[in-house]
Amino acid sequence: MARLKSVLIHTSIGLSLLLCSFIGAVAQTEPLPSWNETAPKKSIIAFVEKVTKKGTPDFVPVDRRIATFDNDGTLWVEQPIYVQLAFIFDRVRELAPKHPDWKTTQPFKAVLDGDMKVVAATGEKGLMELMAATHSGLTVDQFHRVVASWLATARHPKFNRPYNECVYQPMVELLNYLRANGFKTYIVSGGGVEFMRPWTEKAYGIPPEQVVGSSIKTKFETVDGKPDLMRLPDINFIDDKEGKPIAINQFIGERPIAAFGNSDGDQQMLEWTDAREGPRLILLVHHTDADREYSYDRQSSFGKLDKALDEANVGGWTVVNMKNDWNRIFIFEK
Amino acid sequence: MARLKSVLIHTSIGLSLLLCSFIGAVAQTEPLPSWNETAPKKSIIAFVEKVTKKGTPDFVPVDRRIATFDNDGTLWVEQPIYVQLAFIFDRVRELAPKHPDWKTTQPFKAVLDGDMKVVAATGEKGLMELMAATHSGLTVDQFHRVVASWLATARHPKFNRPYNECVYQPMVELLNYLRANGFKTYIVSGGGVEFMRPWTEKAYGIPPEQVVGSSIKTKFETVDGKPDLMRLPDINFIDDKEGKPIAINQFIGERPIAAFGNSDGDQQMLEWTDAREGPRLILLVHHTDADREYSYDRQSSFGKLDKALDEANVGGWTVVNMKNDWNRIFIFEK
C-alpha cells in the first residue's frame, strides 16, 4: 500500500509538472495582445523573462516581485477631471437638500452652480472642505456602499460608460501578465484608499489589502451599539509625490522592482524604484491619443506630466506612447 | 498529439487531485500538536472547519479569511521587558561613546546606570526621547541591518536564547494551520513595524507586507547620491488599543474573521472583530506558567491583561491558559 502510494505520488508529481509546463506554454502564447510590437512591450517582456530566469544573477525570488501602479491616468481615465472629483461634485448635489446654507456658501455654491472656475479658485482649502463634507460622517462600510452605488449610476461624459469600465485594457493585461509570473501587484495612488477599495478587485484583480492611497482619519467608536470606524473630516495622509515611496515603505515594507505611473505625482516612486540594486522596470504612460482617449502632458490640470517626462528621457525609463503602442485602449472596446 | 495531450492532462488532473487529497490527509492527521486536547484547541479547529466548509452559511471565501495577531506576548515573549525596550537600552549603550552628554542627561543617564526605576519615572516623554535617539537618523535599510545584527547577538535573560527564538511553538503551529486552510495571517502590533519586518518572515512565515505596527515618520531624500528614505525622530502612528482597528482598516481594508491577542492593548481589535456579522474567532493568550515562561495579568507593567480578560469572560472569547493548554511553549524546546 505504501509502495502504491509512493508510485502514485511520483507519477502524479511528474504529470503535474508536465501539466504546469503545458499551462505555462498556453499562457505564454500571446502575452499583452493589446500592446503593439513596439519598444514598451519588448522591454516589459524582456524584464519579466530576466527576473524569472532561475540561476541567473538577475533572478528575483517570487516574494520579492513587488510591482506598484498609480491609478488615475495609469489604470483608468483621469480626464476631463479626476473621477473622485466627479464623485465629490455629484455627492454635493445629492446632499444639498440637507444643507440649505450651501446655496450661499463657497465652495459649495460654485459646485451647485456648476461653475468650475470658482471651484478651482477656492484652491486646496476649498477642495479640503468639499472632501470633508462628502467623505466623512459615515462608517467605513457605509462609505463603501455610497461609492459602489455612485459607480453603478454615474457615467463618464465622453465615453458614456461607468467609470470603472473606463479602465485601460493594456494595463489589465499587464497586471495579469505580471501576476502570472509571480508578481504581487499593488495600487499606490493619490486617490482616496476607501474610494478605490470597493471596486479594484473586480476591475484589476487587486484586493483591498493591496490598495495604498490617500486617507482621512477614522475614529473607533460605538455606532448602533457596535464598535465601528467612523470617518472624520481630517486628512490622515496624502499619497502623492514624496508620499508614494513613504507609503510603499510603510504599507509594503519593500522597494518595488517595477513601478508604473503617468504623471509628476509618480516621479518620486519611479526614482526610488529606479535607485534599487538589481533589475527594475520603470514605465510612464504618456497620453497621446486625443481621438481614442485624451492627449495631455506638460500643461494639464489633471495628471500633469512634465518633470517626470524629462527624467524618463534622461534616465532611460520606458515611455508608452498611447497612440502608437496600444492597439486597444479600454476594456469595453471589442 | 492533441488527443495525447488531452489524455495526459485529464490523467494528470485526476492524479493531482489525488495527490492534493493525500497531502491534505497527511497535514490533517495532527494539527496543533503542541496544544493539549482542551477547549481552546477544540474551538480553533471547530471554527476553521466551519468557515472552510463549502455550501454552508458559515463558509468564508479564501480572500476574506483574514487573521490578525498581536506580537508581544502573543507570538513571542514580552517579559521581563518588551524586546524592543531591551533593544533600545542596548543601543543607547552602543551609541553612548558618540554622545558624551548622555552621561549627565536623563533619560540616557538612567539607562547607562541601569536604573530602570528612573527610566520608568521619565514616563512617555522619556521613552519618546529614547526612541528618537535610537531609531532615527538612519535610512530604512540601515535600520533593518541594525536590528538584524542586534538580534544575532542579544540574548533573553531568562532563556539565554536569541529573542527571535523566544517564539511560542503553539502559535507558530496555529499560524501554519490557518494558512494551510487559506487564511492570510497578519501581525498587528504596538511594536515598531521596522523593528519586526527584518525577522517575522523567518520566525512566523509572515512577510514584510503583512506586518502592521507602530511607526515613526520617514523623509524622502537623497542619501549618498541616491533617493532613499530617512527615519525621522517623530512618531507617525501608535498601533495600540483603538489604533489597532484603525490600522487594520487602513492597511488591510477589511475586518478580520479571527483575531489573537494577550493584553488590554488588543481589546479594541478583538471587540471590532467580534462585532462583525458571521463566524469569528476571538482568542486571548493568558500567561499562567511561571515555571516554563511567566505568570502575569492584571498588575503587569508589560502586557497588562485586565479589562480584556473581563470582557473575554463575559463575551465568550476563547482564553488560552498557557499552563494547561500548551504542552510545549517555545520553538527551541525539544
Side-chain angles (χ1 to χ4, degrees), chain A residues 36-74:
Chain A
N36 291 327
E37 300 297 325
T38 46
K41 177 169 178 174
K42 286 174 190 163
S43 2
I44 293 167
I45 292 177
F47 169 76
V48 170
E49 288 180 349
K50 187 163 68 175
V51 300
T52 53
K53 200 170 225 164
K54 274 195 179 171
T56 67
D58 285 331
F59 176 75
V60 178
V62 165
D63 58 358
R64 301 282 95 87
R65 292 183 203 156
I66 304 281
T68 55
F69 290 79
D70 168 58
N71 184 41
D72 297 308
T74 298

Side-chain angles (χ1 to χ4, degrees), chain A residues 72-88:
Chain A
D72 297 308
T74 298
L75 298 179
W76 79 348
V77 72
E78 66 181 350
Q79 297 288 354
I81 57 172
Y82 293 131
V83 178
Q84 196 168 359
L85 213 49
F87 167 74
I88 289 175

Side-chain angles (χ1 to χ4, degrees), chain B residues 108-122:
Chain B
F108 304 98
K109 181 179 183 307
V111 173
L112 296 174
D113 295 344
D115 191 339
M116 290 307 130
K117 275 190 185 168
V118 176
V119 176
T122 65

Side-chain angles (χ1 to χ4, degrees), chain A residues 14-25:
Chain A
L15 287 177
S16 299
L17 289 175
L18 188 73
L19 176 67
C20 292
S21 339
F22 178 71
I23 290 173

Side-chain angles (χ1 to χ4, degrees), chain B residues 40 43-45 47-48 174 178 257-260 270 273 279-283 318:
Chain B
S43 1
I44 294 167
I45 292 177
F47 169 75
V48 169
L174 176 55
L178 290 174
I257 68 166
F260 305 85
L270 303 184
T273 305
R280 63 268 184 191
L281 176 65
I282 315 296
L283 186 147
T318 298

Side-chain angles (χ1 to χ4, degrees), chain A residues 286-290 293-297 320-324:
Chain A
H286 189 184
H287 293 259
T288 52
D289 197 324
E293 202 240 6
Y294 292 94
S295 177
Y296 60 97
D297 47 34
V320 171
N321 177 329
M322 205 181 243
K323 189 169 182 171
N324 296 343

Side-chain angles (χ1 to χ4, degrees), chain A residues 5 9 12 15-16 22 64 140 184 186 194 197 201 209 220 229 236 246 249-251 253 268, chain B residues 5 9 12 15-16 22 64 140 184 186 194 197 201 209 218 220 229 236 249-251 253 268:
Chain A
K5 268 184 186 161
I9 289 168
S12 182
L15 287 177
S16 299
F22 178 71
R64 301 282 95 87
V140 168
K184 204 162 175 179
Y186 284 84
E194 303 294 8
R197 281 178 170 156
E201 185 146 26
E209 67 269 29
F220 180 76
L229 293 173
N236 178 57
I246 288 171
N249 178 63
Q250 202 179 335
F251 282 72
Q268 288 81 358
Chain B
K5 267 183 187 162
I9 288 168
S12 182
L15 287 176
S16 299
F22 179 71
R64 300 283 93 87
V140 169
K184 204 162 175 180
Y186 284 84
E194 303 295 8
R197 281 179 170 155
E201 184 146 27
E209 67 269 28
T218 59
F220 179 77
L229 293 174
N236 179 56
N249 179 64
Q250 202 179 336
F251 281 72
Q268 289 79 358

